[in-house]
Amino acid sequence: MKSKQRLRIALQKNGRLNTDSLELLAKCGLKIKPSKNSLLCHVEKFPIDFLFVRDDDIPTLVMDGVCDLGIVGENVLFEQVTQNFTVIKKLGFGKCRLSIAIPESSTFTGPQSLENMRIATSYPNLLKKYLQQNKVKAEPLVISGSVEIAPGLNMADAICDLVSSGRTLEENKLKEVDCIVQSQAVLIQTQKNLSSEKLGSLDLLLNRLDSVLRAHGSKYIMFHSPKSALESIKSILPGCESPTVMTLEGAQDKVAVHVMAHEDIFWETLEKLKTVGASSILVLPIEKMLA
């Protein structure tokens, strides 16, 4: 019997995107048995394999058709010149930005402040594009890793590097002054033709991803409410669908309300609900949500 063709997904071998990617895929029902020595791992009960590689290699592997799909940061895609693949979904994690940062003691009034500076970066193509767009003459200094230490070692006057929380910049007495691009993890697909079997597996995977991503950040809220307060409560809850209202045994003037909110629920929102008469408020996360 002919074995079913398996989709191959390229994932970052080590780093933040590795953990977040595996967590997202696990929520989609894709589980593997980890192996420290294996770069290629099979998914249990699903025709998909994971290939663990350096993030810089993922676009090339997908472009060449070695892998059918890949999860990679947009910053990697933007940096690479050749892009013979398709971005099919933004995944909402791994968010960061590529920014210009300078020593805290320096002054920045705009891109022209970088004139004649040495700028350390691991993203020379994006930096050159930024400098050209702003008509700034500066010297890119290409460094792989630990870019933030360059100014302190007098190797550079500024840096162009990824920023997430900004803590690393603070630790090296640098300040962020200009953002070049925003980035997050995306799912990319090869432009080479996939078999009908692989396309079927891809459709199933995309449906599961949509379910998990749709549920991300949504909350299921349950509480008791006076019937007279229902209209006020609807105006307080952000991004809510029509609530489910049920009678409470032995309480003619109160109801149980169940509602799904598609936006974050903050303490202030719960406190407002309480002021209009809501009680026994319970907020639950939603793991999956099929449309």
Side-chain angles (χ1 to χ4, degrees):
M1 181 181 294
K2 184 180 178 180
S3 61
K4 190 169 184 179
Q5 294 189 42
R6 303 176 67 86
L7 277 175
R8 182 174 292 172
I9 305 178
L11 301 177
Q12 186 184 63
K13 182 179 180 180
N14 297 300
R16 182 180 48 158
L17 288 192
N18 170 275
T19 301
D20 291 342
S21 297
L22 289 176
E23 181 179 332
L24 173 63
L25 293 169
K27 290 179 179 178
C28 294
L30 307 188
K31 298 180 180 179
I32 62 172
K33 293 181 178 179
S35 174
K36 292 182 179 180
N37 299 320
S38 178
L39 297 180
L40 183 65
C41 294
H42 296 286
V43 173
E44 300 174 355
K45 301 179 181 179
F46 204 114
I48 288 180
D49 297 328
F50 295 154
L51 181 64
F52 294 97
V53 295
R54 292 174 61 253
D55 56 351
D56 290 346
D57 294 333
I58 293 175
T60 301
L61 291 170
V62 174
M63 179 183 68
D64 292 343
V66 176
C67 292
D68 306 303
L69 305 169
I71 294 179
V72 65
E74 288 178 300
N75 54 291
V76 176
L77 301 185
F78 296 151
E79 174 64 17
Q80 297 198 10
V81 178
T82 305
Q83 297 185 1
N84 292 328
F85 45 76
T86 303
V87 176
I88 57 176
K89 191 170 294 295
K90 295 193 174 186
L91 301 177
F93 63 84
K95 291 184 177 180
C96 59
R97 55 199 179 275
L98 183 68
S99 293
I100 299 291
I102 61 176
E104 293 175 346
S105 58
S106 299
T107 301
F108 184 85
T109 58
Q112 294 301 321
S113 299
L114 302 173
E115 188 74 21
N116 297 321
M117 282 191 177
R118 295 167 300 162
I119 306 175
T121 187
S122 298
Y123 296 88
N125 293 326
L126 285 171
L127 175 58
K128 288 176 183 177
K129 183 177 179 180
Y130 168 82
L131 295 174
Q132 290 171 356
Q133 288 175 341
N134 290 283
K135 299 179 180 179
V136 174
K137 292 183 179 180
E139 179 187 352
L141 177 64
V142 181
I143 298 177
S144 58
S146 301
V147 172
E148 66 279 353
I149 68 172
L153 297 175
N154 293 321
M155 295 172 59
D157 306 298
I159 69 169
C160 172
D161 199 18
L162 293 180
V163 179
S164 181
S165 66
R167 190 177 72 175
T168 302
L169 295 182
E170 292 178 4
E171 291 174 349
N172 289 275
K173 298 182 178 180
L174 300 172
K175 59 184 179 182
E176 183 180 2
V177 293
D178 203 3
C179 175
I180 295 180
V181 294
Q182 298 280 350
S183 174
Q184 65 175 292
V186 293
L187 179 67
I188 61 175
Q189 179 183 342
T190 182
Q191 291 185 351
K192 294 184 180 295
N193 293 331
L194 299 181
S195 68
S196 58
E197 284 187 320
K198 286 188 175 183
L199 287 174
S201 297
L202 176 58
D203 286 341
L204 183 57
L205 173 61
L206 291 177
N207 286 334
R208 293 188 183 188
L209 280 171
D210 285 339
S211 173
V212 173
L213 294 175
R214 194 181 297 117
H216 181 69
S218 297
K219 297 292 186 293
Y220 195 76
I221 311 168
M222 300 182 289
F223 54 88
H224 295 168
S225 166
K227 291 181 179 179
S228 59
L230 286 177
E231 290 304 317
S232 297
I233 284 172
K234 288 180 184 179
S235 66
I236 292 173
L237 289 171
C240 288
E241 296 183 350
S242 298
T244 299
V245 180
M246 298 167 285
T247 58
L248 283 172
E249 183 70 26
Q252 295 183 353
D253 61 335
K254 296 188 74 174
V255 291
V257 179
H258 291 198
V259 64
M260 186 168 62
H262 296 292
E263 298 179 16
D264 288 333
I265 300 299
F266 299 102
W267 278 106
E268 291 80 3
T269 303
L270 301 181
E271 289 161 354
K272 287 180 182 178
L273 289 176
K274 192 172 179 63
T275 61
V276 298
S279 60
S280 302
I281 303 172
L282 183 63
V283 180
L284 301 174
I286 299 174
E287 184 176 329
K288 302 176 184 69
M289 184 166 57
L290 294 175

